[in-house]
Amino acid sequence: RRPVELSSLHDDLRAAGEEPRTEVLAFAVEQPSETVADMLGLVDGADVYAIERLRFTGDQPLAIMRNHVPVTVVGLDAGSLRSRGLYDLLRSAGVSLKIATQTIGGRAAEPAEARLLNESAGSPLLTMSRTTYDDTGRAVEYGSHLYRASRYTFELTLTTG
């Protein structure tokens, strides 16, 4: 269960008394796709860290996380991402996370995703895409994540205006 607030899965799991573990599946510096460049407001030629991680809670896989971070925002390496959450690394580098836009949905697991998440192909997955901005309005991260619907929920508090 995860509250809808500007926090990382790593931080949320620790706050819930869980011990998150991360396997870095891919880590590279590359030119972003047009979609990622648009989401981050990047000009042509700007490089990003392209990161793919598998997050576990205990011995159970929970999420596949794909993130893109402009290389001008922070210095990252795969080793740090295995032991610390991305938002923790950003905050430690002096980035003040302020706001994010997020879309939550669902879809069926493709065979490769299902294998990583210990699910059956076609099992329901929760999807989440998020662009995070710092206190100056600069986009500092774009994430596209897949969560096991059998082990994960979002918690919302709704009020009247």
mmCIF file of all heavy atoms in Angstrom, residues 28-63:
data_model
loop_
_atom_site.group_PDB
_atom_site.id
_atom_site.type_symbol
_atom_site.label_atom_id
_atom_site.label_comp_id
_atom_site.label_asym_id
_atom_site.label_seq_id
_atom_site.Cartn_x
_atom_site.Cartn_y
_atom_site.Cartn_z
ATOM 1 N N ALA A 28 22.586 3.392 -18.351
ATOM 2 C CA ALA A 28 23.349 3.956 -19.469
ATOM 3 C C ALA A 28 23.113 5.456 -19.548
ATOM 4 O O ALA A 28 22.110 5.975 -19.047
ATOM 5 C CB ALA A 28 22.928 3.306 -20.784
ATOM 6 N N VAL A 29 24.037 6.144 -20.185
ATOM 7 C CA VAL A 29 23.844 7.542 -20.572
ATOM 8 C C VAL A 29 23.524 7.515 -22.053
ATOM 9 O O VAL A 29 24.253 6.893 -22.842
ATOM 10 C CB VAL A 29 25.098 8.393 -20.299
ATOM 11 C CG1 VAL A 29 24.934 9.794 -20.852
ATOM 12 C CG2 VAL A 29 25.404 8.426 -18.801
ATOM 13 N N GLU A 30 22.417 8.158 -22.426
ATOM 14 C CA GLU A 30 21.986 8.101 -23.820
ATOM 15 C C GLU A 30 21.169 9.318 -24.201
ATOM 16 O O GLU A 30 20.779 10.115 -23.350
ATOM 17 C CB GLU A 30 21.179 6.828 -24.072
ATOM 18 C CG GLU A 30 19.898 6.746 -23.267
ATOM 19 C CD GLU A 30 19.180 5.406 -23.422
ATOM 20 O OE1 GLU A 30 19.858 4.370 -23.566
ATOM 21 O OE2 GLU A 30 17.938 5.415 -23.396
ATOM 22 N N GLN A 31 20.918 9.429 -25.488
ATOM 23 C CA GLN A 31 20.000 10.434 -26.009
ATOM 24 C C GLN A 31 18.583 9.941 -25.720
ATOM 25 O O GLN A 31 18.276 8.778 -25.980
ATOM 26 C CB GLN A 31 20.183 10.600 -27.519
ATOM 27 C CG GLN A 31 21.505 11.212 -27.912
ATOM 28 C CD GLN A 31 21.471 12.716 -27.757
ATOM 29 O OE1 GLN A 31 20.618 13.382 -28.309
ATOM 30 N NE2 GLN A 31 22.401 13.242 -26.986
ATOM 31 N N PRO A 32 17.731 10.778 -25.161
ATOM 32 C CA PRO A 32 16.378 10.323 -24.839
ATOM 33 C C PRO A 32 15.517 10.188 -26.087
ATOM 34 O O PRO A 32 15.776 10.829 -27.112
ATOM 35 C CB PRO A 32 15.844 11.428 -23.930
ATOM 36 C CG PRO A 32 16.572 12.653 -24.387
ATOM 37 C CD PRO A 32 17.949 12.169 -24.774
ATOM 38 N N SER A 33 14.483 9.360 -25.977
ATOM 39 C CA SER A 33 13.480 9.297 -27.036
ATOM 40 C C SER A 33 12.767 10.643 -27.099
ATOM 41 O O SER A 33 12.881 11.470 -26.185
ATOM 42 C CB SER A 33 12.464 8.196 -26.739
ATOM 43 O OG SER A 33 11.686 8.563 -25.603
ATOM 44 N N GLU A 34 12.034 10.865 -28.160
ATOM 45 C CA GLU A 34 11.285 12.120 -28.298
ATOM 46 C C GLU A 34 10.293 12.287 -27.146
ATOM 47 O O GLU A 34 10.153 13.383 -26.601
ATOM 48 C CB GLU A 34 10.549 12.134 -29.639
ATOM 49 C CG GLU A 34 9.850 13.457 -29.923
ATOM 50 C CD GLU A 34 9.211 13.478 -31.303
ATOM 51 O OE1 GLU A 34 9.763 12.876 -32.237
ATOM 52 O OE2 GLU A 34 8.150 14.125 -31.422
ATOM 53 N N THR A 35 9.637 11.196 -26.755
ATOM 54 C CA THR A 35 8.674 11.251 -25.652
ATOM 55 C C THR A 35 9.353 11.672 -24.358
ATOM 56 O O THR A 35 8.867 12.562 -23.650
ATOM 57 C CB THR A 35 7.988 9.884 -25.465
ATOM 58 O OG1 THR A 35 7.287 9.552 -26.657
ATOM 59 C CG2 THR A 35 7.027 9.900 -24.286
ATOM 60 N N VAL A 36 10.476 11.027 -24.019
ATOM 61 C CA VAL A 36 11.191 11.352 -22.781
ATOM 62 C C VAL A 36 11.712 12.785 -22.832
ATOM 63 O O VAL A 36 11.592 13.534 -21.854
ATOM 64 C CB VAL A 36 12.331 10.347 -22.519
ATOM 65 C CG1 VAL A 36 13.229 10.811 -21.376
ATOM 66 C CG2 VAL A 36 11.752 8.967 -22.226
ATOM 67 N N ALA A 37 12.270 13.202 -23.957
ATOM 68 C CA ALA A 37 12.759 14.581 -24.095
ATOM 69 C C ALA A 37 11.627 15.579 -23.877
ATOM 70 O O ALA A 37 11.808 16.595 -23.184
ATOM 71 C CB ALA A 37 13.403 14.785 -25.461
ATOM 72 N N ASP A 38 10.455 15.298 -24.432
ATOM 73 C CA ASP A 38 9.296 16.181 -24.236
ATOM 74 C C ASP A 38 8.880 16.221 -22.772
ATOM 75 O O ASP A 38 8.604 17.294 -22.229
ATOM 76 C CB ASP A 38 8.110 15.735 -25.092
ATOM 77 C CG ASP A 38 8.291 16.043 -26.564
ATOM 78 O OD1 ASP A 38 9.194 16.838 -26.927
ATOM 79 O OD2 ASP A 38 7.522 15.476 -27.375
ATOM 80 N N MET A 39 8.819 15.062 -22.133
ATOM 81 C CA MET A 39 8.395 15.005 -20.729
ATOM 82 C C MET A 39 9.361 15.768 -19.820
ATOM 83 O O MET A 39 8.951 16.350 -18.826
ATOM 84 C CB MET A 39 8.268 13.558 -20.262
ATOM 85 C CG MET A 39 7.212 12.745 -21.002
ATOM 86 S SD MET A 39 5.553 13.466 -20.991
ATOM 87 C CE MET A 39 5.100 13.268 -19.297
ATOM 88 N N LEU A 40 10.651 15.758 -20.177
ATOM 89 C CA LEU A 40 11.660 16.442 -19.363
ATOM 90 C C LEU A 40 11.961 17.858 -19.852
ATOM 91 O O LEU A 40 12.767 18.565 -19.242
ATOM 92 C CB LEU A 40 12.951 15.611 -19.325
ATOM 93 C CG LEU A 40 12.872 14.296 -18.551
ATOM 94 C CD1 LEU A 40 14.124 13.466 -18.774
ATOM 95 C CD2 LEU A 40 12.648 14.557 -17.061
ATOM 96 N N GLY A 41 11.334 18.270 -20.951
ATOM 97 C CA GLY A 41 11.573 19.603 -21.485
ATOM 98 C C GLY A 41 13.000 19.807 -21.949
ATOM 99 O O GLY A 41 13.556 20.902 -21.797
ATOM 100 N N LEU A 42 13.603 18.773 -22.545
ATOM 101 C CA LEU A 42 15.009 18.841 -22.952
ATOM 102 C C LEU A 42 15.161 19.320 -24.387
ATOM 103 O O LEU A 42 14.319 19.046 -25.236
ATOM 104 C CB LEU A 42 15.653 17.459 -22.820
ATOM 105 C CG LEU A 42 15.701 16.873 -21.417
ATOM 106 C CD1 LEU A 42 16.254 15.462 -21.453
ATOM 107 C CD2 LEU A 42 16.513 17.752 -20.490
ATOM 108 N N VAL A 43 16.262 19.996 -24.640
ATOM 109 C CA VAL A 43 16.602 20.412 -25.994
ATOM 110 C C VAL A 43 17.349 19.270 -26.678
ATOM 111 O O VAL A 43 17.878 18.363 -26.024
ATOM 112 C CB VAL A 43 17.476 21.693 -25.993
ATOM 113 C CG1 VAL A 43 16.702 22.858 -25.406
ATOM 114 C CG2 VAL A 43 18.763 21.480 -25.234
ATOM 115 N N ASP A 44 17.417 19.314 -28.000
ATOM 116 C CA ASP A 44 18.144 18.289 -28.752
ATOM 117 C C ASP A 44 19.588 18.201 -28.274
ATOM 118 O O ASP A 44 20.232 19.214 -28.009
ATOM 119 C CB ASP A 44 18.125 18.614 -30.249
ATOM 120 C CG ASP A 44 16.750 18.415 -30.864
ATOM 121 O OD1 ASP A 44 15.932 17.699 -30.262
ATOM 122 O OD2 ASP A 44 16.496 18.972 -31.938
ATOM 123 N N GLY A 45 20.073 16.986 -28.161
ATOM 124 C CA GLY A 45 21.458 16.777 -27.771
ATOM 125 C C GLY A 45 21.687 16.622 -26.288
ATOM 126 O O GLY A 45 22.807 16.340 -25.869
ATOM 127 N N ALA A 46 20.654 16.794 -25.459
ATOM 128 C CA ALA A 46 20.810 16.653 -24.011
ATOM 129 C C ALA A 46 20.775 15.174 -23.633
ATOM 130 O O ALA A 46 19.857 14.457 -24.009
ATOM 131 C CB ALA A 46 19.701 17.407 -23.289
ATOM 132 N N ASP A 47 21.780 14.705 -22.912
ATOM 133 C CA ASP A 47 21.843 13.309 -22.494
ATOM 134 C C ASP A 47 21.066 13.088 -21.204
ATOM 135 O O ASP A 47 20.914 13.999 -20.383
ATOM 136 C CB ASP A 47 23.292 12.880 -22.254
ATOM 137 C CG ASP A 47 24.062 12.670 -23.545
ATOM 138 O OD1 ASP A 47 23.433 12.398 -24.589
ATOM 139 O OD2 ASP A 47 25.306 12.781 -23.510
ATOM 140 N N VAL A 48 20.611 11.846 -21.037
ATOM 141 C CA VAL A 48 19.935 11.434 -19.813
ATOM 142 C C VAL A 48 20.529 10.118 -19.329
ATOM 143 O O VAL A 48 21.091 9.352 -20.110
ATOM 144 C CB VAL A 48 18.410 11.241 -20.017
ATOM 145 C CG1 VAL A 48 17.724 12.545 -20.378
ATOM 146 C CG2 VAL A 48 18.110 10.158 -21.038
ATOM 147 N N TYR A 49 20.411 9.882 -18.031
ATOM 148 C CA TYR A 49 20.633 8.551 -17.502
ATOM 149 C C TYR A 49 19.366 7.763 -17.818
ATOM 150 O O TYR A 49 18.256 8.216 -17.515
ATOM 151 C CB TYR A 49 20.827 8.568 -15.986
ATOM 152 C CG TYR A 49 22.077 9.260 -15.529
ATOM 153 C CD1 TYR A 49 22.026 10.527 -14.967
ATOM 154 C CD2 TYR A 49 23.316 8.631 -15.629
ATOM 155 C CE1 TYR A 49 23.170 11.164 -14.526
ATOM 156 C CE2 TYR A 49 24.476 9.262 -15.192
ATOM 157 C CZ TYR A 49 24.389 10.528 -14.640
ATOM 158 O OH TYR A 49 25.525 11.149 -14.209
ATOM 159 N N ALA A 50 19.521 6.610 -18.411
ATOM 160 C CA ALA A 50 18.410 5.693 -18.652
ATOM 161 C C ALA A 50 18.617 4.512 -17.707
ATOM 162 O O ALA A 50 19.624 3.808 -17.789
ATOM 163 C CB ALA A 50 18.393 5.231 -20.099
ATOM 164 N N ILE A 51 17.675 4.353 -16.796
ATOM 165 C CA ILE A 51 17.833 3.395 -15.706
ATOM 166 C C ILE A 51 16.644 2.443 -15.712
ATOM 167 O O ILE A 51 15.494 2.872 -15.815
ATOM 168 C CB ILE A 51 17.872 4.136 -14.349
ATOM 169 C CG1 ILE A 51 18.933 5.233 -14.358
ATOM 170 C CG2 ILE A 51 18.064 3.154 -13.208
ATOM 171 C CD1 ILE A 51 18.685 6.332 -13.344
ATOM 172 N N GLU A 52 16.920 1.162 -15.585
ATOM 173 C CA GLU A 52 15.857 0.179 -15.409
ATOM 174 C C GLU A 52 16.215 -0.660 -14.193
ATOM 175 O O GLU A 52 17.316 -1.212 -14.109
ATOM 176 C CB GLU A 52 15.690 -0.713 -16.636
ATOM 177 C CG GLU A 52 14.527 -1.673 -16.491
ATOM 178 C CD GLU A 52 14.246 -2.468 -17.758
ATOM 179 O OE1 GLU A 52 15.103 -2.486 -18.664
ATOM 180 O OE2 GLU A 52 13.173 -3.076 -17.826
ATOM 181 N N ARG A 53 15.283 -0.729 -13.236
ATOM 182 C CA ARG A 53 15.527 -1.453 -11.988
ATOM 183 C C ARG A 53 14.359 -2.384 -11.682
ATOM 184 O O ARG A 53 13.223 -2.109 -12.052
ATOM 185 C CB ARG A 53 15.686 -0.470 -10.823
ATOM 186 C CG ARG A 53 16.888 0.436 -10.960
ATOM 187 C CD ARG A 53 16.865 1.583 -9.967
ATOM 188 N NE ARG A 53 15.763 2.481 -10.306
ATOM 189 C CZ ARG A 53 15.237 3.356 -9.468
ATOM 190 N NH1 ARG A 53 15.679 3.453 -8.226
ATOM 191 N NH2 ARG A 53 14.264 4.151 -9.854
ATOM 192 N N LEU A 54 14.671 -3.430 -10.971
ATOM 193 C CA LEU A 54 13.660 -4.335 -10.439
ATOM 194 C C LEU A 54 13.700 -4.174 -8.922
ATOM 195 O O LEU A 54 14.742 -4.401 -8.301
ATOM 196 C CB LEU A 54 13.965 -5.778 -10.842
ATOM 197 C CG LEU A 54 12.978 -6.850 -10.410
ATOM 198 C CD1 LEU A 54 11.579 -6.596 -10.964
ATOM 199 C CD2 LEU A 54 13.473 -8.236 -10.853
ATOM 200 N N ARG A 55 12.582 -3.741 -8.345
ATOM 201 C CA ARG A 55 12.522 -3.490 -6.901
ATOM 202 C C ARG A 55 11.828 -4.661 -6.223
ATOM 203 O O ARG A 55 10.777 -5.121 -6.659
ATOM 204 C CB ARG A 55 11.755 -2.191 -6.649
ATOM 205 C CG ARG A 55 11.517 -1.788 -5.199
ATOM 206 C CD ARG A 55 12.748 -1.432 -4.395
ATOM 207 N NE ARG A 55 13.747 -0.623 -5.033
ATOM 208 C CZ ARG A 55 13.722 0.711 -5.177
ATOM 209 N NH1 ARG A 55 12.718 1.413 -4.772
ATOM 210 N NH2 ARG A 55 14.729 1.328 -5.765
ATOM 211 N N PHE A 56 12.449 -5.132 -5.156
ATOM 212 C CA PHE A 56 11.931 -6.237 -4.358
ATOM 213 C C PHE A 56 11.531 -5.731 -2.979
ATOM 214 O O PHE A 56 12.107 -4.770 -2.472
ATOM 215 C CB PHE A 56 13.016 -7.299 -4.136
ATOM 216 C CG PHE A 56 13.448 -8.028 -5.362
ATOM 217 C CD1 PHE A 56 14.357 -7.462 -6.253
ATOM 218 C CD2 PHE A 56 12.957 -9.295 -5.625
ATOM 219 C CE1 PHE A 56 14.773 -8.153 -7.377
ATOM 220 C CE2 PHE A 56 13.372 -9.992 -6.758
ATOM 221 C CZ PHE A 56 14.274 -9.421 -7.629
ATOM 222 N N THR A 57 10.595 -6.413 -2.375
ATOM 223 C CA THR A 57 10.339 -6.273 -0.953
ATOM 224 C C THR A 57 10.491 -7.678 -0.379
ATOM 225 O O THR A 57 9.817 -8.616 -0.822
ATOM 226 C CB THR A 57 8.970 -5.639 -0.644
ATOM 227 O OG1 THR A 57 8.808 -5.570 0.770
ATOM 228 C CG2 THR A 57 7.824 -6.376 -1.262
ATOM 229 N N GLY A 58 11.452 -7.844 0.512
ATOM 230 C CA GLY A 58 11.827 -9.188 0.931
ATOM 231 C C GLY A 58 12.395 -9.922 -0.264
ATOM 232 O O GLY A 58 13.217 -9.388 -0.991
ATOM 233 N N ASP A 59 11.913 -11.128 -0.519
ATOM 234 C CA ASP A 59 12.394 -11.874 -1.684
ATOM 235 C C ASP A 59 11.419 -11.824 -2.848
ATOM 236 O O ASP A 59 11.602 -12.520 -3.841
ATOM 237 C CB ASP A 59 12.698 -13.327 -1.295
ATOM 238 C CG ASP A 59 11.456 -14.086 -0.821
ATOM 239 O OD1 ASP A 59 10.402 -13.451 -0.617
ATOM 240 O OD2 ASP A 59 11.551 -15.316 -0.653
ATOM 241 N N GLN A 60 10.391 -10.984 -2.742
ATOM 242 C CA GLN A 60 9.368 -10.899 -3.775
ATOM 243 C C GLN A 60 9.566 -9.675 -4.673
ATOM 244 O O GLN A 60 9.670 -8.548 -4.178
ATOM 245 C CB GLN A 60 7.972 -10.809 -3.136
ATOM 246 C CG GLN A 60 7.523 -12.086 -2.479
ATOM 247 C CD GLN A 60 7.310 -13.172 -3.508
ATOM 248 O OE1 GLN A 60 6.656 -12.984 -4.521
ATOM 249 N NE2 GLN A 60 7.903 -14.337 -3.251
ATOM 250 N N PRO A 61 9.605 -9.866 -6.000
ATOM 251 C CA PRO A 61 9.661 -8.707 -6.895
ATOM 252 C C PRO A 61 8.352 -7.933 -6.808
ATOM 253 O O PRO A 61 7.274 -8.524 -6.698
ATOM 254 C CB PRO A 61 9.859 -9.330 -8.275
ATOM 255 C CG PRO A 61 9.322 -10.723 -8.158
ATOM 256 C CD PRO A 61 9.526 -11.133 -6.726
ATOM 257 N N LEU A 62 8.450 -6.620 -6.830
ATOM 258 C CA LEU A 62 7.277 -5.769 -6.671
ATOM 259 C C LEU A 62 7.065 -4.850 -7.861
ATOM 260 O O LEU A 62 5.929 -4.612 -8.263
ATOM 261 C CB LEU A 62 7.421 -4.927 -5.396
ATOM 262 C CG LEU A 62 6.287 -4.000 -5.037
ATOM 263 C CD1 LEU A 62 4.995 -4.772 -4.803
ATOM 264 C CD2 LEU A 62 6.657 -3.193 -3.797
ATOM 265 N N ALA A 63 8.148 -4.317 -8.429
ATOM 266 C CA ALA A 63 7.992 -3.316 -9.483
ATOM 267 C C ALA A 63 9.175 -3.315 -10.437
ATOM 268 O O ALA A 63 10.313 -3.574 -10.040
ATOM 269 C CB ALA A 63 7.857 -1.925 -8.864
#
